Amino acid sequence: MKKFTPILLLVLALLIPVIFRQKPSLVYYLNLSMIYAISAQGLNLLMGIGGQISLGHAAFMAIGGYTSAVLVMVLHVPFIVALIAGVGLSCLFGLIIGFPALRLKGFYLAIATLAMGTVVTDIIKRIAITGGDYGLRNIPAPRLFGFTFGSSLSQFYLILAGLLLAIVVTRNFIRSKSGIALQAMRDSETGAQAVGINTSNYKLLAFILASAFAGLAGVLYGHSVSYLNTTNFGLDLSINLLAITIIGGMGTVWGVVLGSFLWVFVRNLMGSGLEMLTGVLFGVILLLVVLFLPRGLSEIGFRIAGRFKGKNESS
Amino acid sequence: MMLELQNLTVRFGNLVAVNKLNTSVSEGTIHSLIGPNGAGKTTVFNAIYNLVPYTGDILFSGKSLRGVPTYRLSEMRMTRTFQNLSLFYSMTVEYNIALGLHTAIKSSILSDIAGVNVYSRKEVKQRVARVAELVGLSQLLNAYPAFLPYGTQKLVELARALVNDSKLVLLDEPAAGLNAGEKEQFKEILLKVKQGGVTILLVEHDMGVVMDISDKITVMNFGNRIAEGTPQEISENPDVIEAYLGVN
């Protein structure tokens, strides 16, 4: 059964927009959820696996998004090239911010990444080509192999492909030699060095990977929402991405996806005058998770799976 | 010589933690570094591991370790254990030991992206099983270290240090916190390790352990070497007795 679960989930995911085709706003929020899940997956690698912290993760989304949008709108570069450039530049900035991380830990690293996030969005805002305070409008929809992903429905499949890529890469990376080295470093840096792990290199790798995911999410965000403004990538989003990762479950692949969906839907689908309470509700959920589910919502899944396993073994 | 310390000096501001220490560790021996608290023993380890600045020189198999980063030492087949355990608590005992082979196993970016678990390879499992048997952890490979007694956790760290066919193992107070039975077990294991050709540099407070298994002992006090010799010579040395008991 476990073997077929991903296939079942994929089939279900592919059918969702068809089922909800009469509700394009719902598909739009699904798209947003998946974009944030891609970005949070990067933060998951950085924090959950690598044991580092970042309060400027949203800035990497901005770098990816703006790079791609400017390249397509100003230089008329094909979307695929702009996507690669967006992710690439985001990785480069990930490498740059990774260097201070080699000397900083905990609160100090949090402050450094927070400052980096502020600096990046401020610089973007001051460049004329990015639209300044007004942001970039009418960003073209993604176009690949002659097909334009113009509707929320078609974008759903493109973003789903991005999310699946992020999930597969994360899942594989966690199992790999580098992923295990990062987990060892998270558990004990001195122990990791003693067994020959070059912790500096692995910290940089964690930052590069995290920014690659954020960059990809930023590119998909810009071309699907068709509007970019630096205010969308400030501290607020960085903190929310952090919350998504914690609520979902740090170090777990599917938990982060779950956390992202919960965040987007709690924020956007609370109707009938309850919109003002979304922040409160999300805060309460975060508090409850931290108190009772240290491994996030994914812990519920682990507990259920554990019970099934226990029943099967006893029967 | 497996390890040579030549005029090794470590200063922390005005404090001289290790003062012109000269000693050498012969291949295939257990060499203990003893002394009262604050004598500078762990600082010697930290200097060898390039964790503190020092003057003088440290030679490992004839090669200077000056400027060699900590993570390179495992590749050179020198490993260590810690006074305060530094295990990987999110991983099983098997993975804790297998990670000792980090430098011996090759992988590429492609294998990382493909999710190849290099630690599940047959030869890795065999090497882990071999060392686990040596230290008596064969039945606990799937356990998580946090759920094991303190003494057993120390064995996990020892196994991790040994798995990469280390030439020299630095053990920092391995017997601390162990009960009498565990200490006896530890001594037997260390003698077996020595028989396997591994050189051991041991920092230890437990004189019973030190005297029973050491081939050579260097005694330090306030950063200075005050005596060196066989366990018999050291136990009769008046300077050592004074340093430990404060009387002549």
Side-chain angles (χ1 to χ4, degrees), chain A residues 168-169 171-202 205, chain B residues 49 51 70-72 74-75 78-80 82 86-91 95 99-100 102-103 105-107 111-119 160:
Chain A
V168 169
V169 170
R171 193 169 157 268
N172 286 354
F173 184 78
I174 290 172
R175 293 174 179 173
S176 73
K177 186 187 172 191
S178 297
I180 292 170
L182 269 178
Q183 290 166 70
M185 192 180 79
R186 175 197 63 196
D187 287 1
S188 167
E189 198 163 331
T190 45
Q193 285 185 339
V195 298
I197 292 170
N198 183 344
T199 51
S200 300
N201 279 358
Y202 281 102
L205 178 67
Chain B
Y49 262 74
L51 298 172
T70 305
Y71 69 86
R72 282 251 180 256
S74 172
E75 206 173 340
M78 182 204 290
T79 49
R80 72 173 289 184
F82 295 85
S86 64
L87 292 171
F88 310 127
Y89 285 102
S90 68
M91 302 180 199
Y95 270 82
L99 264 152
H102 175 82
T103 55
I105 305 168
K106 299 297 166 208
S107 74
S111 66
D112 279 352
I113 292 170
V116 175
N117 183 351
V118 291
Y119 295 109
R160 187 180 74 187

Side-chain angles (χ1 to χ4, degrees), chain B:
Chain B
M1 282 296 161
M2 182 59 73
L3 187 76
E4 288 171 79
L5 309 181
Q6 298 176 342
N7 285 320
L8 179 69
T9 303
V10 181
R11 293 172 196 274
F12 299 117
N14 290 328
L15 175 78
V16 183
V18 180
N19 188 23
K20 292 180 183 169
L21 178 66
N22 284 290
T23 190
S24 51
V25 179
S26 304
E27 205 172 323
T29 60
I30 296 180
H31 187 132
S32 293
L33 205 54
I34 64 167
N37 283 329
K41 308 176 300 286
T42 299
T43 307
V44 171
F45 272 25
N46 288 339
I48 295 168
Y49 262 74
N50 218 356
L51 298 172
V52 290
Y54 63 86
T55 57
D57 209 353
I58 300 166
L59 304 180
F60 175 55
S61 293
K63 287 180 189 167
S64 173
L65 292 181
R66 183 163 290 284
V68 176
T70 305
Y71 69 86
R72 282 251 180 256
L73 296 174
S74 172
E75 206 173 340
M76 295 167 76
R77 292 168 61 201
M78 182 204 290
T79 49
R80 72 173 289 184
T81 66
F82 295 85
Q83 200 172 334
N84 299 315
L85 289 165
S86 64
L87 292 171
F88 310 127
Y89 285 102
S90 68
M91 302 180 199
T92 60
V93 168
E94 183 179 8
Y95 270 82
N96 266 276
I97 300 171
L99 264 152
L101 293 166
H102 175 82
T103 55
I105 305 168
K106 299 297 166 208
S107 74
S108 64
I109 293 175
L110 280 179
S111 66
D112 279 352
I113 292 170
V116 175
N117 183 351
V118 291
Y119 295 109
S120 64
R121 287 180 189 162
K122 196 179 167 188
E123 70 266 23
V124 173
K125 285 188 169 287
Q126 282 173 344
R127 288 177 76 169
V128 170
R130 208 182 311 141
V131 78
E133 196 182 342
L134 176 74
V135 300
L137 290 171
S138 298
Q139 303 301 315
L140 297 169
L141 288 175
N142 292 323
Y144 283 86
F147 300 107
L148 298 174
Y150 186 67
T152 313
Q153 291 187 38
K154 289 219 158 190
L155 290 175
V156 177
E157 208 177 49
L158 177 66
R160 187 180 74 187
L162 293 171
V163 73
N164 198 16
D165 295 333
S166 303
K167 290 198 284 188
L168 174 66
V169 181
L170 279 60
L171 305 178
D172 198 353
E173 297 194 27
L178 303 189
N179 62 37
E182 286 170 335
K183 277 179 191 169
E184 286 305 313
Q185 186 195 7
F186 218 93
K187 282 195 290 189
E188 281 174 29
I189 289 167
L190 291 187
L191 288 171
K192 268 197 272 178
V193 169
K194 184 185 117 174
Q195 281 166 11
V198 179
T199 308
I200 295 171
L201 179 59
L202 176 73
V203 163
E204 185 53 62
H205 276 295
D206 189 303
M207 285 305 112
V209 172
V210 170
M211 293 299 168
D212 285 353
I213 64 170
S214 301
D215 296 297
K216 190 175 170 184
I217 299 170
T218 300
V219 189
M220 292 179 74
N221 197 16
F222 296 114
N224 295 300
R225 190 185 86 171
I226 58 168
E228 188 167 271
T230 62
Q232 177 75 21
E233 288 163 352
I234 291 300
S235 62
E236 293 164 359
N237 188 305
D239 291 336
V240 176
I241 295 166
E242 188 186 352
Y244 270 90
L245 302 174
V247 289
N248 267 314

Side-chain angles (χ1 to χ4, degrees), chain A residues 93-231:
Chain A
F93 272 83
L95 177 69
I96 293 167
I97 194 62
F99 279 106
L102 302 181
R103 289 180 169 273
L104 301 173
K105 279 181 184 172
F107 292 121
Y108 298 101
L109 181 58
I111 296 297
T113 51
L114 178 108
M116 182 279 305
T118 312
V119 169
V120 166
T121 48
D122 205 49
I123 289 173
I124 291 173
K125 203 161 62 180
R126 287 168 196 277
I127 302 172
I129 208 168
T130 61
D133 282 330
Y134 298 104
L136 277 178
R137 291 163 194 275
N138 302 320
I139 300 167
R143 188 174 165 79
L144 276 175
F145 313 114
F147 179 79
T148 304
F149 294 84
S151 65
S152 290
L153 199 70
S154 60
Q155 283 166 8
F156 174 91
Y157 293 107
L158 179 70
I159 297 166
L160 179 66
L163 177 62
L164 288 176
L165 178 75
I167 288 171
V168 169
V169 170
T170 306
R171 193 169 157 268
N172 286 354
F173 184 78
I174 290 172
R175 293 174 179 173
S176 73
K177 186 187 172 191
S178 297
I180 292 170
L182 269 178
Q183 290 166 70
M185 192 180 79
R186 175 197 63 196
D187 287 1
S188 167
E189 198 163 331
T190 45
Q193 285 185 339
V195 298
I197 292 170
N198 183 344
T199 51
S200 300
N201 279 358
Y202 281 102
K203 276 183 192 173
L204 289 177
L205 178 67
F207 271 95
I208 292 169
L209 275 174
S211 44
F213 284 149
L216 174 64
V219 172
L220 294 171
Y221 180 91
H223 291 275
S224 60
V225 177
S226 78
Y227 171 66
L228 284 174
N229 193 306
T230 50
T231 53

